[in-house]
Amino acid sequence: MNPPQMKNLTLLLLLLLFLFSLHLTSVLSWKKDEFRNCNQTPFCKRARSRKPAPSSLIATDVSISDGDLVAKITNRRDDQIKPLILSLSAYQDGILRLRIDEDPSSIPPPPKKRFEVPNVVVPEFTSKKLWLQNLDTKTLDGDSSPSSIVYLNEEYDAVLRLEPFEVYVRDKYGGKRVISLNSHGLFDFEQLKHKKPKSDQEEEKHDHDQYQDDDQDQDQVQVKEEKDEDEDWAERFRGHTDSRPYGPQSISFDVSFYGADFVYGIPEHATSFALKPTRGPGLEDHSEPYRLFNLDVFEYVHEAPFGLYGSIPFMISHGKSHGTSGFFWLNAAEMQIDVLTAGWDADSGISLPSDRSRIDTLWMSEAGIVDAFFFVGPKPKDVVRQYTSVTGTPAMPQLFATAYHQCRWNYRDEEDVENVDAKFDENNIPYDVLWLDIEHTDGKRYFTWDRALFPHPEEMQNKLAAKGRHMVTIVDPHTKRDDGYFLHKEATQKGYYVKDANGNDFDGWCWPGSSSYPDTLNPEIRSWWADRFSYENYVGSTPSLYIWNDMNEPSVFNGPEVCHSTHMLLLLFVEVLHF
């Protein structure tokens, strides 16, 4: 081998070694201990510990009210558990809505109303409700328990099985199931409660100890009880404490998709399009469920169920024997979802239809209510149409928005913007949009400009507009806590920020440093926030300026689970497309 060949080979080896080191660094940079797993998340750990078995829940007092089927759900094995209120609603196009919540008329009543997600179901969907007139309750073939039948359309019925409690959608002619809930008896609804005085807790413990076996280690029992009691009222991770003034309030249940070969959806996860099983025979005991919890994670492991930026609890199933069906749980709380392998319930003693393929799933949420939608399909386009009839369809983007966008962090000043724009023309490269990241602002105060670097923002935008181009600037939904900043001053005076447990404006850490977050669940605050984007309020904006709403998780860097600081460093060297 001659010297030039040796030199080339050496360079190639060095390059390969460099690329390998980058890959190794990327893998090692994943700080697994910075993020909770299921065993470190009490509601997930509790739900996963339950075994499939015939349910102890029964539906009683079934009737028709306001066009819905309503009932109470009681526990036949524990009359100390307060009944829950259930309602089944049918809508046009074969959509079933199931709602389950605590009964506000119970004695004592719940200490507060549980959170329900607003502003997701579009108003026109409610006008598509089918008003139920008559209650059809009968015993179905092959079942000893009576069931109440709800009409969906010409092809499908919804069935409320009374004992044990179960809800499923079936093909009304063949009787075959499409989707079911609580077929494996895993439904659990932790009800809100008041913390008992210490004296009452000690009395209960004394009564409990009277029934302990003499040979049982009382010290171990006490330690476990104290730990369980502590977990009821507070959750801790990496030095952070999340208090629970009303105790745990999680909900979990099983959902089965019949005639399914694959399930899809519940984004975002860095794994295959068809969701892989996470639990059951053949899988490791420490496998994790799919997590739905918005995290600003720059470095992550591929082929993992770890949650990323988005969380949409919408799952689609598809198979040869039925086609396509879907299930959507309208819930904004942290969620974990298991996709279960065949045979996971082998010892349950439950017999379900086995004439075709079936995929079972376990849905676990930290809080909220059951507000679930069943979509019967039977084709993919049908499920998408049914789902979007509930949530609405995305807005069509402007034509220019579908073209090439030029973006990096960050263009230094107006001269830099002008040079980049000119280089595209010089090299005859078409583009339609140029983006400005956070550094264009005055000290990371949104709706402002750094007047030393961008002294003429309107003129800069008009120059681009003259060529048929647009500019995009960033506006994040966190506000720099600076008493001299007009936006922070107004939001503070009007009480528009999200509050902490003590009723104070929440103070978190994001790009501007100490930041607070507008409470956009409040319609008044949403309207106020929208007004900030007007030409009058956003000084320096023009009709050719559009907004990039970034960090809309919203991100809090000093929380118990944070994004990596290398996110900032890497973006300085990597051109990214935020679209």
Side-chain angles (χ1 to χ4, degrees):
M1 188 176 291
N2 57 43
Q5 289 176 320
M6 286 291 295
K7 181 179 180 181
N8 290 339
L9 180 60
T10 302
L11 289 174
L12 178 60
L13 289 173
L14 288 173
L15 177 60
L16 290 174
L17 182 62
F18 173 69
L19 293 175
F20 176 74
S21 67
L22 286 180
H23 172 73
L24 184 63
T25 301
S26 175
V27 172
L28 294 177
S29 64
W30 167 251
K31 300 177 178 60
K32 190 175 181 180
D33 61 335
E34 291 186 356
F35 302 95
R36 296 189 303 171
N37 58 38
C38 182
N39 279 332
Q40 295 169 316
T41 309
F43 79 87
C44 182
K45 183 179 179 180
R46 290 194 300 274
R48 263 191 157 191
S49 69
R50 301 184 186 102
K51 305 298 182 184
S55 179
S56 62
L57 301 177
I58 59 175
T60 64
D61 302 331
V62 182
S63 63
I64 298 295
S65 175
D66 199 26
D68 299 330
L69 182 154
V70 297
K72 289 186 177 181
I73 300 178
T74 60
N75 193 314
R76 62 187 173 190
R77 295 177 189 161
D78 191 345
D79 57 8
Q80 298 300 310
I81 298 177
K82 292 185 290 186
L84 300 171
I85 297 297
L86 170 150
S87 69
L88 278 177
S89 307
Y91 293 84
Q92 295 174 21
D93 204 13
I95 300 172
L96 175 71
R97 185 178 192 177
L98 168 66
R99 289 173 56 88
I100 302 176
D101 197 356
E102 297 190 55
D103 184 355
S105 64
S106 62
I107 300 175
K112 76 179 189 72
K113 182 176 173 56
R114 298 175 73 103
F115 180 74
E116 298 183 36
V117 181
N119 312 310
V120 171
V121 177
V122 294
E124 53 267 31
F125 175 73
T126 58
S127 66
K128 299 178 180 180
K129 177 178 172 179
L130 304 178
W131 285 71
L132 306 178
Q133 302 294 328
N134 300 307
L135 185 61
D136 181 11
T137 300
K138 60 185 177 181
T139 301
L140 301 177
D141 293 341
D143 196 351
S144 60
S145 172
S147 299
S148 295
I149 317 300
V150 172
Y151 169 90
L152 287 182
N153 59 21
E154 289 76 10
E155 298 180 32
Y156 299 98
D157 281 330
V159 178
L160 169 63
R161 189 184 186 196
L162 305 187
E163 185 175 355
F165 160 67
E166 181 186 13
V167 175
Y168 61 89
V169 175
R170 63 167 188 166
D171 175 347
K172 65 169 55 176
Y173 298 110
K176 292 184 176 180
R177 297 184 177 203
V178 178
I179 313 173
S180 69
L181 182 145
N182 200 40
S183 299
H184 293 88
L186 293 177
F187 184 91
D188 187 75
F189 194 113
E190 296 181 323
Q191 300 184 24
L192 303 177
K193 57 186 178 182
H194 290 288
K195 191 171 185 179
K196 295 179 180 179
K198 194 70 175 178
S199 58
D200 292 348
Q201 295 177 35
E202 291 173 350
E203 183 176 343
E204 283 189 1
K205 180 183 179 305
H206 173 74
D207 293 341
H208 180 267
D209 289 345
Q210 300 298 315
Y211 296 95
Q212 295 295 327
D213 294 335
D214 294 338
D215 59 350
Q216 188 171 6
D217 189 335
Q218 294 295 323
D219 291 337
Q220 290 183 0
V221 172
Q222 182 174 352
V223 169
K224 182 182 185 303
E225 288 177 347
E226 289 176 353
K227 183 179 180 180
D228 291 345
E229 176 68 21
D230 181 60
E231 273 192 355
D232 278 355
W233 304 102
E235 183 177 321
R236 296 173 177 83
F237 182 70
R238 299 184 71 232
H240 292 261
T241 299
D242 181 13
S243 63
R244 293 200 191 102
Y246 303 106
Q249 49 182 298
S250 70
I251 304 171
S252 56
F253 49 78
D254 55 275
V255 175
S256 297
F257 298 91
Y258 299 81
D261 300 315
F262 305 98
V263 288
Y264 308 89
I266 56 171
E268 294 174 350
H269 304 90
T271 185
S272 61
F273 189 49
L275 300 174
K276 298 176 181 178
T278 58
R279 186 180 169 203
L283 295 178
E284 299 176 0
D285 292 338
H286 60 270
S287 62
E288 287 290 306
Y290 291 99
R291 189 181 186 195
L292 296 181
F293 185 71
N294 292 10
L295 288 169
D296 185 8
V297 181
F298 181 70
E299 298 157 317
Y300 53 85
V301 176
H302 74 290
E303 293 301 327
F306 184 83
L308 299 178
Y309 285 91
S311 299
I312 305 176
F314 173 44
M315 185 177 286
I316 299 176
S317 78
H318 184 74
K320 293 180 181 178
S321 51
H322 167 69
T324 309
S325 61
F327 180 81
F328 171 52
W329 186 4
L330 180 54
N331 192 328
E334 178 181 354
M335 201 176 293
Q336 305 266 6
I337 301 174
D338 268 320
V339 177
L340 305 161
T341 61
W344 72 279
D345 59 344
D347 300 326
S348 67
I350 298 173
S351 177
L352 289 178
S354 57
D355 59 331
R356 54 198 175 132
S357 55
R358 185 186 81 237
I359 295 181
D360 300 322
T361 58
L362 175 62
W363 297 61
M364 305 163 276
S365 178
E366 185 178 21
I369 68 167
V370 176
D371 191 359
F373 297 80
F374 299 72
F375 307 113
V376 297
K379 296 181 179 180
K381 65 178 182 180
D382 298 320
V383 171
V384 172
R385 183 187 65 250
Q386 291 155 3
Y387 171 69
T388 55
S389 72
V390 174
T391 64
T393 55
M396 288 293 290
Q398 297 90 339
L399 185 60
F400 76 84
T402 63
Y404 177 69
H405 294 234
Q406 176 63 23
C407 174
R408 75 162 183 254
W409 186 14
N410 195 85
Y411 296 106
R412 294 184 300 273
D413 49 32
E414 288 181 3
E415 182 181 1
D416 192 17
V417 168
E418 189 171 348
N419 289 337
V420 169
D421 179 67
K423 282 294 183 182
F424 273 87
D425 292 334
E426 181 182 326
N427 292 280
N428 197 28
I429 301 174
Y431 89 102
D432 278 49
V433 190
L434 190 144
W435 294 44
L436 293 182
D437 210 315
I438 196 170
E439 306 304 334
H440 81 278
T441 64
D442 178 14
K444 298 182 176 59
R445 302 171 181 87
Y446 300 110
F447 302 105
T448 69
W449 301 83
D450 184 329
R451 289 294 177 171
L453 302 177
F454 296 89
H456 310 103
E458 297 99 328
E459 183 180 338
M460 174 180 61
Q461 296 162 50
N462 290 334
K463 286 181 180 179
L464 292 176
K467 299 180 181 181
R469 293 167 180 162
H470 299 78
M471 176 165 277
V472 167
T473 54
I474 188 172
V475 173
D476 290 352
H478 54 258
T479 305
K480 185 173 184 176
R481 293 181 60 84
D482 178 348
D483 292 338
Y485 179 24
F486 65 88
L487 193 68
H488 171 67
K489 186 176 180 180
E490 186 174 355
T492 302
Q493 291 174 345
K494 293 186 175 183
Y496 281 174
Y497 284 138
V498 171
K499 309 299 181 185
D500 62 20
N502 297 316
N504 302 316
D505 291 343
F506 177 77
D507 186 351
W509 198 262
C510 206
W511 298 122
S514 178
S515 305
S516 289
Y517 303 75
D519 181 7
T520 52
L521 288 180
N522 185 321
E524 177 185 337
I525 299 173
R526 285 203 304 276
S527 177
W528 168 81
W529 179 252
D531 286 343
R532 303 311 97 198
F533 295 87
S534 68
Y535 299 132
E536 177 184 358
N537 290 321
Y538 190 176
V539 177
S541 63
T542 70
S544 66
L545 183 71
Y546 288 76
I547 304 301
W548 161 28
N549 179 29
D550 191 30
M551 311 301 286
N552 53 308
E553 285 77 18
S555 289
V556 182
F557 293 167
N558 60 336
E561 297 178 272
V562 300
C563 71
H564 298 290
S565 59
T566 47
H567 187 179
M568 183 184 301
L569 299 175
L570 287 170
L571 283 181
L572 291 173
F573 304 105
V574 179
E575 182 173 285
V576 293
L577 177 64
H578 299 278
F579 180 63

